[in-house]
């Protein structure tokens, strides 16, 4: 008996600064994000890229990727991709771009990945406030340049 439909497994999901595809077809992931350290809020990320790889499934599917605010209700960005796996030994790689994402507050945001409305993965992406270290504190004198020679 041949399976006509098997829900795929999510092999990986990585939030990155950028994803490029080489001429060979291989992917080049730039800046895999564990957390976002920002100098102030609100702040806008021009582009966030989500790399999802599916395997061990058979059939036609719809991937839904969402970026959720810290209130765990507000959907900041959502992307949908249709893909096909004709054999359980194959894989499908989907890239979703989230453009112009405004982070209004610090806190824990979430990436959710679903296939055909079945949640496969949900993981945190903390946004941390960290002012630049070279900022002068009130009452401090700026560092003096050293001798040049």
């Amino acid at each position: 008996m041949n399976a006509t439909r098997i829900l795929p497994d999510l092999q990986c999901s990585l939030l990155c600064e950028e994803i490029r595809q080489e001429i060979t077809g291989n992917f080049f992931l730039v800046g895999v994000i564990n957390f976002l350290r920002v100098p102030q809020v609100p702040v806008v990320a021009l582009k966030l890229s989500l790399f999802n790889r599916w395997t061990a499934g058979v059939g036609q599917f719809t991937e839904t990727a969402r970026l959720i605010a810290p209130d765990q209700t507000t959907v900041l960005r959502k992307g949908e991709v249709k893909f096909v796996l004709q054999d359980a030994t194959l894989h499908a790689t989907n890239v979703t771009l989230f453009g112009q994402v405004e982070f209004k507050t610090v806190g824990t945001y979430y990436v959710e990945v679903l296939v055909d409305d079945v949640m496969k993965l949900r993981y945190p992406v903390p946004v941390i406030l960290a002012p630049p270290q070279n900022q002068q504190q009130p009452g401090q004198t700026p560092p003096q340049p050293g001798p040049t020679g």
Side-chain angles (χ1 to χ4, degrees), residues 1 5 7 19 21 33 36 39 42-43 51 65-66 88-89 102 104 117 120 128 134:
M1 179 172 126
R5 185 162 157 80
L7 209 58
I19 299 169
Q21 191 169 17
I33 296 170
L36 295 169
V43 68
F51 179 91
R66 299 188 292 225
T89 62
E102 183 179 20
K104 293 183 180 181
D117 297 322
K120 285 292 188 170
I128 302 166
N134 62 355

PDB file of all heavy atoms in Angstrom, residues 1 5 7 19 21 33 36 39 42-43 51 65-66 88-89 102 104 117 120 128 134:
ATOM      1  N   MET A   1       0.838  -1.188   0.000  1.00  0.00           N
ATOM      2  CA  MET A   1       0.000   0.000   0.000  1.00  0.00           C
ATOM      3  C   MET A   1       0.877   1.243   0.000  1.00  0.00           C
ATOM      4  O   MET A   1       1.785   1.378   0.808  1.00  0.00           O
ATOM      5  CB  MET A   1      -0.877  -0.024   1.254  1.00  0.00           C
ATOM      6  CG  MET A   1      -1.775   1.168   1.361  1.00  0.00           C
ATOM      7  SD  MET A   1      -2.915   0.943   2.728  1.00  0.00           S
ATOM      8  CE  MET A   1      -2.609   2.423   3.621  1.00  0.00           C
ATOM      9  N   ARG A   5      -0.644  10.501   1.573  1.00  0.00           N
ATOM     10  CA  ARG A   5      -0.413  11.736   2.326  1.00  0.00           C
ATOM     11  C   ARG A   5       0.176  11.405   3.689  1.00  0.00           C
ATOM     12  O   ARG A   5      -0.413  10.675   4.480  1.00  0.00           O
ATOM     13  CB  ARG A   5      -1.703  12.509   2.487  1.00  0.00           C
ATOM     14  CG  ARG A   5      -1.518  13.849   3.143  1.00  0.00           C
ATOM     15  CD  ARG A   5      -2.738  14.714   2.874  1.00  0.00           C
ATOM     16  NE  ARG A   5      -2.873  15.747   3.847  1.00  0.00           N
ATOM     17  CZ  ARG A   5      -2.178  16.888   3.831  1.00  0.00           C
ATOM     18  NH1 ARG A   5      -1.300  17.106   2.893  1.00  0.00           N
ATOM     19  NH2 ARG A   5      -2.361  17.799   4.754  1.00  0.00           N
ATOM     20  N   LEU A   7       1.986  13.793   6.787  1.00  0.00           N
ATOM     21  CA  LEU A   7       2.373  15.126   7.243  1.00  0.00           C
ATOM     22  C   LEU A   7       3.882  15.157   7.477  1.00  0.00           C
ATOM     23  O   LEU A   7       4.422  14.274   8.137  1.00  0.00           O
ATOM     24  CB  LEU A   7       1.621  15.457   8.536  1.00  0.00           C
ATOM     25  CG  LEU A   7       1.332  16.925   8.807  1.00  0.00           C
ATOM     26  CD1 LEU A   7       0.516  17.552   7.678  1.00  0.00           C
ATOM     27  CD2 LEU A   7       0.608  17.083  10.123  1.00  0.00           C
ATOM     28  N   ILE A  19      19.325  35.254   3.898  1.00  0.00           N
ATOM     29  CA  ILE A  19      19.520  33.920   3.327  1.00  0.00           C
ATOM     30  C   ILE A  19      19.805  34.097   1.843  1.00  0.00           C
ATOM     31  O   ILE A  19      19.064  34.779   1.136  1.00  0.00           O
ATOM     32  CB  ILE A  19      18.277  33.030   3.533  1.00  0.00           C
ATOM     33  CG1 ILE A  19      18.000  32.863   5.018  1.00  0.00           C
ATOM     34  CG2 ILE A  19      18.469  31.682   2.849  1.00  0.00           C
ATOM     35  CD1 ILE A  19      16.661  32.229   5.336  1.00  0.00           C
ATOM     36  N   GLN A  21      21.062  31.987  -1.839  1.00  0.00           N
ATOM     37  CA  GLN A  21      21.165  30.685  -2.471  1.00  0.00           C
ATOM     38  C   GLN A  21      22.284  30.737  -3.502  1.00  0.00           C
ATOM     39  O   GLN A  21      22.306  31.610  -4.373  1.00  0.00           O
ATOM     40  CB  GLN A  21      19.853  30.272  -3.128  1.00  0.00           C
ATOM     41  CG  GLN A  21      19.859  28.822  -3.566  1.00  0.00           C
ATOM     42  CD  GLN A  21      18.475  28.325  -3.965  1.00  0.00           C
ATOM     43  OE1 GLN A  21      17.567  29.098  -4.208  1.00  0.00           O
ATOM     44  NE2 GLN A  21      18.333  27.023  -4.028  1.00  0.00           N
ATOM     45  N   ILE A  33      19.859  34.264  14.211  1.00  0.00           N
ATOM     46  CA  ILE A  33      19.454  35.102  15.341  1.00  0.00           C
ATOM     47  C   ILE A  33      19.030  34.254  16.535  1.00  0.00           C
ATOM     48  O   ILE A  33      18.112  33.441  16.433  1.00  0.00           O
ATOM     49  CB  ILE A  33      18.304  36.039  14.911  1.00  0.00           C
ATOM     50  CG1 ILE A  33      18.804  36.998  13.828  1.00  0.00           C
ATOM     51  CG2 ILE A  33      17.734  36.806  16.102  1.00  0.00           C
ATOM     52  CD1 ILE A  33      17.718  37.815  13.162  1.00  0.00           C
ATOM     53  N   LEU A  36      17.496  39.524  19.706  1.00  0.00           N
ATOM     54  CA  LEU A  36      17.741  40.821  19.074  1.00  0.00           C
ATOM     55  C   LEU A  36      18.125  41.818  20.156  1.00  0.00           C
ATOM     56  O   LEU A  36      17.326  42.102  21.056  1.00  0.00           O
ATOM     57  CB  LEU A  36      16.495  41.306  18.331  1.00  0.00           C
ATOM     58  CG  LEU A  36      16.068  40.467  17.139  1.00  0.00           C
ATOM     59  CD1 LEU A  36      14.690  40.872  16.663  1.00  0.00           C
ATOM     60  CD2 LEU A  36      17.075  40.593  16.023  1.00  0.00           C
ATOM     61  N   PRO A  39      19.287  49.154  20.571  1.00  0.00           N
ATOM     62  CA  PRO A  39      19.683  50.300  21.382  1.00  0.00           C
ATOM     63  C   PRO A  39      18.506  51.038  22.010  1.00  0.00           C
ATOM     64  O   PRO A  39      18.648  51.700  23.026  1.00  0.00           O
ATOM     65  CB  PRO A  39      20.428  51.200  20.391  1.00  0.00           C
ATOM     66  CG  PRO A  39      19.893  50.820  19.054  1.00  0.00           C
ATOM     67  CD  PRO A  39      19.514  49.371  19.145  1.00  0.00           C
ATOM     68  N   PRO A  42      10.788  52.099  20.180  1.00  0.00           N
ATOM     69  CA  PRO A  42      10.598  51.135  19.098  1.00  0.00           C
ATOM     70  C   PRO A  42      11.792  51.144  18.141  1.00  0.00           C
ATOM     71  O   PRO A  42      12.524  52.118  18.043  1.00  0.00           O
ATOM     72  CB  PRO A  42       9.325  51.616  18.405  1.00  0.00           C
ATOM     73  CG  PRO A  42       9.261  53.077  18.692  1.00  0.00           C
ATOM     74  CD  PRO A  42       9.902  53.262  20.046  1.00  0.00           C
ATOM     75  N   VAL A  43      11.941  50.014  17.439  1.00  0.00           N
ATOM     76  CA  VAL A  43      12.993  49.855  16.444  1.00  0.00           C
ATOM     77  C   VAL A  43      12.422  49.017  15.305  1.00  0.00           C
ATOM     78  O   VAL A  43      11.544  48.183  15.531  1.00  0.00           O
ATOM     79  CB  VAL A  43      14.258  49.213  17.058  1.00  0.00           C
ATOM     80  CG1 VAL A  43      14.001  47.773  17.449  1.00  0.00           C
ATOM     81  CG2 VAL A  43      15.449  49.302  16.129  1.00  0.00           C
ATOM     82  N   PHE A  51      14.183  30.442   7.649  1.00  0.00           N
ATOM     83  CA  PHE A  51      14.591  29.277   6.863  1.00  0.00           C
ATOM     84  C   PHE A  51      13.948  28.045   7.494  1.00  0.00           C
ATOM     85  O   PHE A  51      14.223  27.730   8.648  1.00  0.00           O
ATOM     86  CB  PHE A  51      16.125  29.163   6.921  1.00  0.00           C
ATOM     87  CG  PHE A  51      16.695  27.994   6.181  1.00  0.00           C
ATOM     88  CD1 PHE A  51      17.061  28.105   4.855  1.00  0.00           C
ATOM     89  CD2 PHE A  51      16.910  26.779   6.821  1.00  0.00           C
ATOM     90  CE1 PHE A  51      17.622  27.034   4.174  1.00  0.00           C
ATOM     91  CE2 PHE A  51      17.462  25.700   6.150  1.00  0.00           C
ATOM     92  CZ  PHE A  51      17.820  25.833   4.820  1.00  0.00           C
ATOM     93  N   ALA A  65       4.034  30.600   8.531  1.00  0.00           N
ATOM     94  CA  ALA A  65       5.031  31.096   9.474  1.00  0.00           C
ATOM     95  C   ALA A  65       4.529  32.417  10.030  1.00  0.00           C
ATOM     96  O   ALA A  65       4.077  33.282   9.269  1.00  0.00           O
ATOM     97  CB  ALA A  65       6.373  31.278   8.776  1.00  0.00           C
ATOM     98  N   ARG A  66       4.605  32.548  11.362  1.00  0.00           N
ATOM     99  CA  ARG A  66       4.105  33.769  12.004  1.00  0.00           C
ATOM    100  C   ARG A  66       5.130  34.301  12.986  1.00  0.00           C
ATOM    101  O   ARG A  66       5.812  33.528  13.663  1.00  0.00           O
ATOM    102  CB  ARG A  66       2.811  33.487  12.763  1.00  0.00           C
ATOM    103  CG  ARG A  66       1.691  33.003  11.893  1.00  0.00           C
ATOM    104  CD  ARG A  66       0.381  32.919  12.632  1.00  0.00           C
ATOM    105  NE  ARG A  66       0.377  31.882  13.659  1.00  0.00           N
ATOM    106  CZ  ARG A  66      -0.613  31.018  13.841  1.00  0.00           C
ATOM    107  NH1 ARG A  66      -1.684  31.061  13.075  1.00  0.00           N
ATOM    108  NH2 ARG A  66      -0.554  30.123  14.795  1.00  0.00           N
ATOM    109  N   ALA A  88       8.828  10.376   0.598  1.00  0.00           N
ATOM    110  CA  ALA A  88       9.231  10.623   1.987  1.00  0.00           C
ATOM    111  C   ALA A  88      10.740  10.797   2.150  1.00  0.00           C
ATOM    112  O   ALA A  88      11.201  11.251   3.190  1.00  0.00           O
ATOM    113  CB  ALA A  88       8.733   9.489   2.889  1.00  0.00           C
ATOM    114  N   THR A  89      11.517  10.459   1.128  1.00  0.00           N
ATOM    115  CA  THR A  89      12.968  10.625   1.207  1.00  0.00           C
ATOM    116  C   THR A  89      13.427  12.003   0.732  1.00  0.00           C
ATOM    117  O   THR A  89      14.608  12.322   0.828  1.00  0.00           O
ATOM    118  CB  THR A  89      13.702   9.554   0.375  1.00  0.00           C
ATOM    119  OG1 THR A  89      13.322   9.708  -0.996  1.00  0.00           O
ATOM    120  CG2 THR A  89      13.355   8.156   0.863  1.00  0.00           C
ATOM    121  N   GLU A 102       8.361  46.173  13.048  1.00  0.00           N
ATOM    122  CA  GLU A 102       8.558  47.122  14.147  1.00  0.00           C
ATOM    123  C   GLU A 102       8.411  46.403  15.481  1.00  0.00           C
ATOM    124  O   GLU A 102       7.382  45.785  15.753  1.00  0.00           O
ATOM    125  CB  GLU A 102       7.559  48.270  14.080  1.00  0.00           C
ATOM    126  CG  GLU A 102       7.801  49.287  15.175  1.00  0.00           C
ATOM    127  CD  GLU A 102       6.843  50.465  15.131  1.00  0.00           C
ATOM    128  OE1 GLU A 102       5.767  50.345  14.506  1.00  0.00           O
ATOM    129  OE2 GLU A 102       7.166  51.500  15.735  1.00  0.00           O
ATOM    130  N   LYS A 104       7.953  47.219  19.087  1.00  0.00           N
ATOM    131  CA  LYS A 104       7.539  48.386  19.873  1.00  0.00           C
ATOM    132  C   LYS A 104       8.005  48.316  21.320  1.00  0.00           C
ATOM    133  O   LYS A 104       8.171  49.343  21.960  1.00  0.00           O
ATOM    134  CB  LYS A 104       6.016  48.533  19.829  1.00  0.00           C
ATOM    135  CG  LYS A 104       5.506  48.887  18.454  1.00  0.00           C
ATOM    136  CD  LYS A 104       4.018  49.089  18.437  1.00  0.00           C
ATOM    137  CE  LYS A 104       3.565  49.443  17.026  1.00  0.00           C
ATOM    138  NZ  LYS A 104       2.132  49.665  16.939  1.00  0.00           N
ATOM    139  N   ASP A 117      -2.176  23.973   9.182  1.00  0.00           N
ATOM    140  CA  ASP A 117      -2.790  24.400  10.448  1.00  0.00           C
ATOM    141  C   ASP A 117      -2.414  23.541  11.649  1.00  0.00           C
ATOM    142  O   ASP A 117      -3.048  23.635  12.697  1.00  0.00           O
ATOM    143  CB  ASP A 117      -4.317  24.495  10.323  1.00  0.00           C
ATOM    144  CG  ASP A 117      -4.737  25.543   9.309  1.00  0.00           C
ATOM    145  OD1 ASP A 117      -4.070  26.601   9.242  1.00  0.00           O
ATOM    146  OD2 ASP A 117      -5.709  25.298   8.563  1.00  0.00           O
ATOM    147  N   LYS A 120       3.896  22.927  14.362  1.00  0.00           N
ATOM    148  CA  LYS A 120       5.065  22.040  14.397  1.00  0.00           C
ATOM    149  C   LYS A 120       6.140  22.567  15.334  1.00  0.00           C
ATOM    150  O   LYS A 120       6.881  21.787  15.921  1.00  0.00           O
ATOM    151  CB  LYS A 120       5.657  21.870  12.990  1.00  0.00           C
ATOM    152  CG  LYS A 120       4.839  20.963  12.112  1.00  0.00           C
ATOM    153  CD  LYS A 120       4.899  19.537  12.626  1.00  0.00           C
ATOM    154  CE  LYS A 120       4.269  18.562  11.675  1.00  0.00           C
ATOM    155  NZ  LYS A 120       4.535  17.181  12.043  1.00  0.00           N
ATOM    156  N   ILE A 128      16.048  42.458  23.473  1.00  0.00           N
ATOM    157  CA  ILE A 128      16.728  42.938  24.674  1.00  0.00           C
ATOM    158  C   ILE A 128      17.190  44.374  24.442  1.00  0.00           C
ATOM    159  O   ILE A 128      17.789  44.679  23.408  1.00  0.00           O
ATOM    160  CB  ILE A 128      17.955  42.053  24.985  1.00  0.00           C
ATOM    161  CG1 ILE A 128      17.509  40.603  25.170  1.00  0.00           C
ATOM    162  CG2 ILE A 128      18.715  42.552  26.185  1.00  0.00           C
ATOM    163  CD1 ILE A 128      18.650  39.613  25.133  1.00  0.00           C
ATOM    164  N   ASN A 134      29.523  52.602  24.005  1.00  0.00           N
ATOM    165  CA  ASN A 134      30.355  53.793  23.901  1.00  0.00           C
ATOM    166  C   ASN A 134      29.611  55.068  24.291  1.00  0.00           C
ATOM    167  O   ASN A 134      30.156  56.147  24.204  1.00  0.00           O
ATOM    168  CB  ASN A 134      30.938  53.926  22.491  1.00  0.00           C
ATOM    169  CG  ASN A 134      29.863  54.076  21.431  1.00  0.00           C
ATOM    170  OD1 ASN A 134      28.673  54.000  21.723  1.00  0.00           O
ATOM    171  ND2 ASN A 134      30.280  54.277  20.193  1.00  0.00           N
TER     172      ASN A 134
END
